[in-house]
């Protein structure tokens, strides 16, 4: 995993150059948003269970998979779904703090789509739940922090499609 600072420095180092204006602007933006990122992570930490619960209620309430005989009709399957959503929220928060999505590739997405397919986990329903979690989080954090956090939810969804 890298953070935004490491990514910028590594890119310049690979070219044997000092940081250029664009690199410094990237770092300035990252540092200026630091307090916002910390506040967002603090709020998410305090409200994680509520975020996941609201996302599940929003996304699975009218979906066929939650009815008897559906993919999440058993308690075990439902609990696994909630557990995975909690993982997605936690790792999206880590990525938001780092300002870099590479942790999502390394710790979440690498092989997940294939695993879900082999286990019969409905990808569309999972993506729908992540999108619901994004909406809940944006409402909770406000537009600026919510938009920043939304980038990482969208990244997870794109990786699952």
């Amino acid at each position: 995993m890298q953070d935004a600072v490491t990514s910028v420095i590594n890119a310049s180092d690979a070219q044997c150059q000092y940081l250029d204006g664009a690199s410094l602007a990237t770092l300035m933006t990252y540092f200026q948003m630091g307090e916002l990122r910390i506040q967002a992570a603090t709020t998410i930490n305090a409200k994680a269970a509520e975020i996941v619960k609201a996302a599940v209620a929003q996304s699975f309430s009218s979906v066929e998979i939650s009815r008897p005989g559906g993919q999440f009709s058993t308690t075990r399957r439902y609990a696994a779904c909630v557990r995975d959503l909690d993982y997605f929220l936690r790792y999206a928060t880590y990525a938001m703090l780092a300002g870099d999505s590479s942790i999502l590739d390394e710790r979440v997405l690498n092989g997940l789509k294939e695993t879900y397919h082999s286990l019969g986990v409905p990808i569309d329903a999972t993506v729908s739940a992540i999108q619901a979690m994004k909406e809940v989080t944006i409402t909770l954090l406000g537009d600026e922090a919510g938009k920043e956090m939304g980038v990482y939810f969208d990244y997870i969804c794109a990786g699952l499609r």
Side-chain angles (χ1 to χ4, degrees):
M1 175 181 101
Q2 293 189 41
D3 58 21
V5 176
T6 306
S7 296
V8 168
I9 291 171
N10 285 345
S12 291
D13 187 46
Q15 298 173 11
C16 298
Q17 297 179 359
Y18 287 97
L19 297 174
D20 61 13
S23 297
L24 292 171
T26 299
L27 292 175
M28 175 122 12
T29 300
Y30 175 74
F31 288 124
Q32 286 173 340
M33 292 191 63
E35 187 174 337
L36 178 76
R37 291 172 193 269
I38 299 278
Q39 289 173 350
T42 301
T43 301
I44 291 168
N45 181 51
K47 306 272 185 177
E50 294 173 37
I51 293 169
V52 172
K53 183 179 177 181
V56 168
Q58 182 177 329
S59 61
F60 294 152
S61 62
S62 63
V63 178
E64 289 291 325
I65 60 173
S66 61
R67 295 197 177 112
Q71 289 287 331
F72 296 138
S73 61
T74 66
T75 303
R76 191 182 95 230
R77 287 181 178 166
Y78 181 82
C81 172
V82 171
R83 178 206 60 213
D84 286 357
L85 289 177
D86 188 60
Y87 288 161
F88 297 149
L89 178 61
R90 183 165 40 103
Y91 279 107
T93 304
Y94 293 165
M96 182 264 311
L97 282 168
D100 185 82
S101 59
S102 66
I103 190 172
L104 298 174
D105 291 322
E106 294 170 18
R107 308 266 171 94
V108 177
L109 294 172
N110 190 11
L112 183 64
K113 184 176 182 179
E114 295 78 13
T115 300
Y116 273 12
H117 279 300
S118 72
L119 295 173
V121 175
I123 300 290
D124 290 342
T126 303
V127 168
S128 174
I130 294 168
Q131 289 296 328
M133 196 160 47
K134 174 185 167 183
E135 291 171 19
V136 170
T137 304
I138 288 171
T139 301
L140 182 66
L141 297 178
D143 288 338
E144 189 176 9
K147 181 180 174 184
E148 179 67 23
M149 189 66 185
V151 168
Y152 302 100
F153 287 129
D154 290 343
Y155 191 88
I156 293 170
C157 291
L160 286 173
R161 288 189 178 125

